[in-house]
Amino acid sequence: MNFSFYSASIQERLEKLQYKIEKASRKSGRNPKDITLVAVTKGFGPEVIETLLQMGIVHIGENRVQEARLKKEQIGEKGIWHFIGHLQKNKIKLTSHLFDWIDSVDDLEDATLLSRFAQNMGKTLKILVQVNVSGESTKFGTTPDLAESLCLAINALPRLEILGLMTIAPASPDPEKVRPVFSRLRMLRDKIESQSGIPLPVLSMGMSQDFEVAIEEGATMIRIGHFLLGPRKESFLKSGETKTFL
Ligand SMILES: *Cc1c(COP(=O)(O)O)cnc(C)c1O
């Protein structure tokens, strides 16, 4: 990456991102308006989220519950918050309280708890099922084989609105290598939709490294961290080295 990655403003990065989203959409005959940008703000402070909200970016992605809680305390009830991390049973109550979307559900027990807490709070949670398409042992997510039964079970739970699938592709310097992961998620979605009759309009796939390929393969939601925000700290609470993504 060139020097501008370190010095550019969020506004400049956003313009570059929007240009690339439009280009990838045009290339694949899609409308860029059909692609929702989730800004992944892990490692950044609440002031960055305020800046994004002022710029009209309302979808905020966080992967740690406590970190999100501290930021939301400062920001208040603004934005649409997506939980994109691994669910932990002892934090599910707080997770269901803080977030509007849970984009990483891969377990029926977790979903049952989310449903119960959502009922208690009188709120409806939007749900994506995370699928481990690549089969990497380091990745969370249900297997493609079990995804349909999980979608059906979630669909039957009160106060959960299942909307689609999510995947994290393996990290690769060559996004073409991960194209099959995205096309397989799309095909799996099509199959589950037609067999179960549950509408699954959302495909959350593509990050800074691979969002263009993901859009070409049908992503309707992309989760972008460092391409939009620059290098991040491991935690926004800790000072020290930033991750540089070279
Ligand atoms: C961190 C993270 C992202 C964004 O990563 P970048 O490579 O910085 O764009 C997207 N999705 C998930 C699940 C993440 O944890």
Side-chain angles (χ1 to χ4, degrees):
M1 288 233 192
N2 57 26
F3 180 71
S4 71
F5 174 67
Y6 298 95
S7 62
S9 67
I10 294 178
Q11 181 64 49
E12 287 167 330
R13 289 202 185 87
L14 178 63
E15 279 164 22
K16 195 164 159 193
L17 177 61
Q18 282 168 337
Y19 172 78
K20 284 179 179 276
I21 291 170
E22 271 166 37
K23 207 166 129 191
S25 302
R26 215 174 307 122
K27 189 171 163 191
S28 48
R30 304 191 55 208
N31 186 342
K33 293 202 177 65
D34 295 337
I35 292 143
T36 301
L37 169 62
V38 176
V40 177
T41 49
K42 63 187 184 197
F44 291 92
E47 70 289 348
V48 170
I49 299 176
E50 293 282 9
T51 303
L52 291 165
L53 293 170
Q54 278 160 20
M55 291 164 72
I57 297 173
V58 294
H59 291 271
I60 303 299
E62 290 277 346
N63 68 340
R64 291 200 181 94
V65 179
Q66 295 296 348
E67 183 174 332
R69 184 177 62 83
L70 291 169
K71 294 178 198 178
K72 276 202 94 177
E73 274 170 11
Q74 297 212 24
I75 293 166
E77 289 303 315
K78 281 187 277 180
I80 299 166
W81 292 66
H82 293 246
F83 185 69
I84 60 171
H86 180 58
L87 286 164
Q88 289 172 278
K89 293 215 171 17
N90 61 339
K91 290 185 190 150
I92 289 201
K93 185 178 181 181
L94 184 56
T95 311
S96 57
H97 179 72
L98 291 171
F99 291 89
D100 306 290
W101 288 62
I102 313 292
D103 298 4
S104 47
V105 177
D106 63 1
D107 175 81
L108 183 54
E109 231 180 281
D110 291 347
T112 307
L113 289 168
L114 286 168
S115 169
R116 190 175 306 155
F117 291 124
Q119 277 176 277
N120 291 344
M121 285 183 289
K123 99 189 234 190
T124 299
L125 291 167
K126 297 188 188 306
I127 302 291
L128 302 179
V129 163
Q130 181 175 354
V131 184
N132 183 355
V133 177
S134 61
E136 282 181 294
S137 59
T138 53
K139 294 260 190 302
F140 292 107
T142 184
T143 63
D145 283 352
L146 294 176
E148 180 171 354
S149 58
L150 185 55
C151 288
L152 280 163
I154 291 172
N155 193 47
L157 287 169
R159 292 285 184 177
L160 299 187
E161 186 182 4
I162 172 109
L163 283 171
L165 305 181
M166 179 275 232
T167 199
I168 304 174
S172 167
D174 177 7
E176 284 304 328
K177 290 229 162 69
V178 298
R179 187 183 288 277
V181 171
F182 299 138
S183 60
R184 276 161 64 197
L185 191 74
R186 187 194 64 228
M187 289 188 287
L188 180 65
R189 187 276 308 270
D190 293 349
K191 186 167 144 234
I192 296 174
E193 252 191 350
S194 69
Q195 290 181 359
S196 70
I198 304 169
L200 299 170
V202 178
L203 277 180
S204 173
M205 54 189 198
M207 312 184 1
S208 292
Q209 223 59 273
D210 52 26
F211 67 90
E212 290 158 288
V213 169
I215 289 170
E216 288 169 24
E217 294 301 328
T220 66
M221 187 172 271
I222 56 174
R223 308 178 307 269
I224 307 294
H226 68 270
F227 193 91
L228 179 62
L229 302 174
R232 66 174 164 254
K233 296 188 173 73
E234 278 305 318
S235 163
F236 93 107
L237 297 169
K238 293 188 196 124
S239 57
E241 292 285 297
T242 55
K243 202 170 170 197
T244 49
F245 305 99
L246 290 174

